[in-house]
């Protein structure tokens, strides 16, 4: 499932987090916000965790044929659920490295 919104629109991240955490089986929430805002660490984790890596490491994993293994290593458990979070980018400039990622990730 994919959720998206126009920039700055409220609710997409909160809805995605709620869906992932209540999904009846394992779920992977991918933070693909192009702004680099990373609202889940700031909100859900209340700023107690700094999450880096994530999406920016995946293009090289695709090239090496180890995408699933790298996702498994980088995904952070979301306490109280069977969901995990794959952290997003830290800066909008990093988004330029990701266009080749979307098809293999899907």
């Amino acid at each position: 499932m994919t959720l998206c919104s126009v920039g700055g629109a409220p609710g997409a991240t909160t809805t995605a987090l709620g869906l992932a955490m209540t999904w009846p089986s394992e779920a992977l929430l991918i933070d693909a916000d192009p702004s680099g805002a990373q609202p889940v660490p700031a909100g859900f984790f209340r700023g107690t965790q700094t999450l880096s890596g994530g999406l920016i490491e995946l293009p090289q994993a695709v090239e090496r044929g180890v995408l699933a293994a790298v996702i498994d290593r980088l995904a952070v458990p979301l306490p109280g659920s069977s969901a995990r979070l794959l952290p997003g980018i830290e800066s909008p400039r990093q988004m330029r490295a990701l266009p080749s990622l979307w098809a293999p990730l899907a």
Side-chain angles (χ1 to χ4, degrees), residues 27-78:
L28 177 65
L29 176 58
I30 299 171
D31 181 355
D33 185 337
S35 75
Q38 295 195 9
V40 175
F44 179 78
F45 288 113
R46 295 180 182 92
T48 61
Q49 288 193 20
T50 301
L51 304 178
S52 60
L55 283 181
I56 199 64
E57 294 190 33
L58 298 186
Q60 288 182 343
V62 169
E63 290 177 12
R64 295 187 335 253
V66 293
L67 181 61
V70 172
I71 288 174
D72 193 50
R73 178 177 56 84
L74 295 173
V76 177
L78 294 171

